[in-house]
Amino acid sequence: MPPKVATENGQKVVPADCVSVLLMALGSTTISKAQYDMMSALDGTRTASSFEHQFRTITAKAKELKARAEQGETFQPVAPAKKGGQTTSGTPKAPARKRKDMSSGSEDATPSKKTKTPKPRGKKAQTPLEDAIEEDFPDDAEEFIKSEKKWEDEVFA
């Protein structure tokens, strides 16, 4: 799928078929020499002849589209993509599970998690550096680090 807005040298690029539609809509499927000269002046690098050559297929397509429209042909636009719930992979997304009401008192309700109380530990002799480091950390830092490690092992295993 092409990017939504293509750019070339910082300029937006419009497909040639779209320019053909614009020419058709203006009622004139031809471009004058003065208009090619103006394009060359605005561009500053290409000649009017270069633009005329580039626009040959565009003006031919504009004439073809005008003829088709005059014969009553209608052109159906692309339908917008549905938003939300779309996955990029071919596998469908699993349905979201609803939470059970915990206030019902049912037996299958998950019990609340009990808080752990830290076990008292005897202090060993520490160096002054260890004393300084320990002062900066909360008392339960060691438990927190262990629980984080356990969580990482479970999630990223």
Side-chain angles (χ1 to χ4, degrees):
M1 190 161 136
K4 293 195 184 244
V5 177
T7 59
E8 186 176 301
N9 299 328
Q11 300 258 336
K12 290 183 181 178
V13 177
V14 179
D17 288 346
C18 295
V19 177
S20 297
V21 171
L22 293 175
L23 282 175
M24 181 197 83
L26 294 172
S28 173
T29 55
T30 59
I31 301 172
S32 70
K33 174 79 169 125
Q35 291 167 328
Y36 287 126
D37 289 341
M38 185 177 184
M39 288 180 203
S40 175
L42 291 172
D43 181 69
T45 57
R46 296 176 53 195
T47 64
S49 176
S50 169
F51 279 103
E52 186 177 1
H53 178 73
Q54 181 184 17
F55 273 83
R56 284 186 184 145
T57 56
I58 294 171
T59 55
K61 183 73 170 192
K63 289 175 186 174
E64 175 195 333
L65 291 172
K66 185 176 182 180
R68 288 169 57 185
E70 287 173 351
Q71 292 174 355
E73 185 176 342
T74 57
F75 300 89
Q76 296 299 318
V78 174
K82 293 181 181 178
K83 292 185 179 180
Q86 293 288 0
T87 58
T88 55
S89 67
T91 59
K93 189 190 255 186
R97 291 189 274 172
K98 294 183 180 179
R99 289 183 165 206
K100 292 183 180 181
D101 186 14
M102 295 298 177
S103 63
S104 67
S106 64
E107 291 178 13
D108 60 336
T110 306
S112 62
K113 191 173 186 177
K114 295 180 182 178
T115 57
K116 293 182 181 179
T117 55
K119 297 176 186 175
R121 297 185 180 173
K123 285 207 168 194
K124 62 178 184 177
Q126 293 182 332
T127 65
L129 179 61
E130 288 174 327
D131 286 337
I133 291 173
E134 194 169 285
E135 288 176 14
D136 294 339
F137 288 106
D139 294 335
D140 62 342
E142 188 176 344
E143 279 186 51
F144 175 76
I145 292 169
K146 286 179 182 177
S147 67
E148 287 295 304
K149 174 69 173 142
K150 181 180 175 186
W151 176 81
E152 286 178 357
D153 291 343
E154 290 172 358
V155 172
F156 298 109

